[in-house]
């Protein structure tokens, strides 16, 4: 059902894009819109991962520069049946993470320094497992496509405003129609993009919890990250809000227009779903903790006890 809903929403986004093209230039406009979408998506398919990693100043790490982090990713990738993704670290105080890449063979997982410093190893495992679930479900490509089409709709709508001002109401959308299109088309695209993102976040939470074997590790991590995201700003994300849907928790502060819309489901609802899953799996892994000190005594998914102040101690 999750994949069916995503397919319907993606079809709606594509239809909206072609509809804007049709309003601007009729049947030929719809075809031009389709060509633009195809060209933009081809470019995004091959280059989106490098662009977003560069945007956030992420640097790649290996077993020599970050052995614990890379080992953790490798262990979880093995449990998920995935090739080892590239691992990146962003020098960012806000705890957060995202995955990118066009397919599992060309994927990357990026985490912030704030995430590594504020979470326990078990919580970090939950976060990484969530990002690996996005890779396994091919969400990284899907979200790139939705973001690209949504951006193209906004671009076409703005062009339609200019175009409509030079045509009468019989041969084009007209001034009033162009203004309405400029406002409503990007809004509709944003709503569809948010709906797709929310659907995929729930699916990634469920699969990620199953990958690491302890739903409450991810639930605890989500509570910590959500609490910090509202008080620790992420300047790069604020400058590029179109990338907000990529992160495990919305990185935007909500101080501007972005507080009217969110690309992520309610954190409380996500935690509740994970708590229900934990009950079904019989794998509570301890009670949900929002204590930021990060002192835990639990068993890691690899069978050895872990008691630490963070993922590395």
């Amino acid at each position: 059902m999750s994949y069916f809903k995503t397919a319907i929403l993606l079809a709606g986004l594509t239809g909206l894009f072609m509809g804007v093209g049709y309003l601007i230039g009729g049947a030929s406009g719809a075809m031009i819109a389709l060509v633009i979408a195809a060209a933009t998506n081809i470019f995004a398919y091959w280059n989106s991962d490098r662009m977003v990693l560069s945007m956030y100043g992420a640097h790649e790490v290996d077993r020599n520069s970050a052995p614990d982090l890379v080992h953790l990713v490798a262990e979880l990738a093995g449990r998920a049946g995935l090739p080892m993704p590239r691992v990146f670290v962003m020098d960012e105080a806000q705890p957060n993470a995202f995955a990118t890449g066009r397919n599992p063979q060309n994927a990357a997982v990026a985490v912030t320094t704030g995430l590594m410093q504020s979470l326990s190893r078990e919580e970090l495992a939950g976060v990484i497992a969530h990002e690996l679930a996005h890779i396994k479900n091919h969400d990284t490509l899907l979200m790139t496509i939705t973001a690209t089409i949504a951006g193209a709709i906004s671009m076409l709508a703005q062009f339609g405003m200019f175009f409509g001002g030079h045509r009468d109401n019989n041969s084009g959308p007209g001034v009033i129609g162009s203004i309405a299109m400029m406002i409503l088309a990007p809004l509709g695209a944003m709503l569809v993009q948010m709906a797709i993102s929310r659907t995929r976040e729930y699916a990634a939470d469920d699969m990620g919890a199953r990958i690491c074997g302890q739903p409450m590790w991810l639930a605890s991590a989500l509570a910590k990250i959500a609490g910090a995201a509202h008080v620790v700003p992420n300047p790069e994300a604020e400058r590029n809000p179109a990338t907000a849907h990529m992160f495990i928790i919305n990185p935007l502060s909500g101080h501007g227009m972005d507080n009217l819309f969110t690309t992520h489901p309610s954190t409380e609802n996500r935690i509740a779903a994970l708590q229900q899953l934990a009950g079904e799996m019989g794998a509570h892994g301890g009670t949900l903790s929002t204590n930021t000190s990060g002192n835990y005594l639990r068993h890691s998914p690899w069978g050895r006890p872990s008691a630490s102040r963070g993922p590395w101690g």
Side-chain angles (χ1 to χ4, degrees):
M1 182 60 67
S2 175
Y3 284 104
F4 178 74
K5 290 179 180 178
T6 300
I8 293 296
L9 291 168
L10 188 57
L13 193 62
T14 304
L16 178 61
F17 183 71
M18 296 186 67
V20 172
Y22 180 82
L23 287 175
I24 295 174
S28 60
M31 289 304 300
I32 292 173
L34 184 61
V35 171
I36 292 174
T40 306
N41 283 325
I42 289 172
F43 177 82
Y45 179 86
W46 292 105
N47 299 284
S48 62
D49 54 343
R50 291 191 292 272
M51 291 173 60
V52 71
L53 289 167
S54 175
M55 180 187 303
Y56 284 95
H59 61 276
E60 188 170 4
V61 295
D62 55 26
R63 294 184 184 273
N64 293 322
S65 56
D68 293 316
L69 174 62
V70 174
H71 176 74
L72 185 62
V73 175
E75 291 281 0
L76 288 166
R79 291 170 64 89
L82 289 169
M84 177 64 183
R86 299 167 67 192
V87 182
F88 290 78
V89 172
M90 297 171 282
D91 187 14
E92 168 58 51
Q94 183 189 89
N96 228 316
F98 67 80
T100 185
R102 61 184 181 272
N103 54 42
Q105 289 72 37
N106 296 275
V109 173
V111 302
T112 66
T113 52
L115 188 80
M116 294 189 292
Q117 292 166 0
S118 61
L119 300 190
S120 71
R121 187 175 190 272
E122 288 76 16
E123 291 166 331
L124 186 60
V127 170
I128 292 173
H130 170 97
E131 299 305 332
L132 292 174
H134 276 310
I135 294 172
K136 192 174 182 69
N137 288 334
H138 296 268
D139 292 339
T140 50
L141 176 60
L142 173 66
M143 296 313 299
T144 297
I145 292 175
T146 58
T148 302
I149 296 178
I153 288 174
S154 298
M155 178 189 69
L156 275 181
Q158 292 174 4
F159 175 75
M161 174 61 184
F162 173 81
F163 187 77
H166 295 275
R167 298 178 66 112
D168 60 35
N169 291 332
N170 294 325
S171 59
V175 175
I176 295 177
S178 297
I179 293 174
M181 180 175 60
M182 183 180 68
I183 297 173
L184 296 178
L187 179 60
M190 182 188 301
L191 292 174
V192 174
Q193 184 183 9
M194 288 190 301
I196 293 175
S197 178
R198 292 178 183 185
T199 300
R200 304 318 307 155
E201 287 303 317
Y202 278 121
D205 283 347
D206 185 273
M207 179 175 287
R210 296 177 189 277
I211 290 172
C212 72
Q214 295 282 356
M216 296 310 295
W217 292 354
L218 177 55
S220 183
L222 291 177
K224 286 187 179 181
I225 298 170
H230 294 296
V231 296
V232 181
N234 186 329
E236 195 59 47
E238 297 289 346
R239 287 191 290 268
N240 298 279
T243 62
H245 67 282
M246 297 181 62
F247 288 84
I248 189 170
I249 290 288
N250 189 349
L252 303 179
S253 63
H255 295 157
M257 286 297 291
D258 51 46
N259 64 349
L260 297 177
F261 304 99
T262 177
T263 57
H264 293 66
S266 161
T267 303
E268 291 77 11
N269 290 344
R270 294 172 69 181
I271 290 174
L274 288 166
Q275 289 173 329
Q276 181 178 355
L277 178 61
E280 295 172 358
M281 294 175 60
H284 295 277
T287 58
L288 175 63
S289 171
T290 57
N291 178 3
T292 57
S293 64
N295 291 311
Y296 298 92
L297 178 58
R298 300 177 185 157
H299 287 279
S300 74
W302 309 286
R304 55 182 182 273
S306 171
S308 67
R309 298 183 183 274
W312 323 124

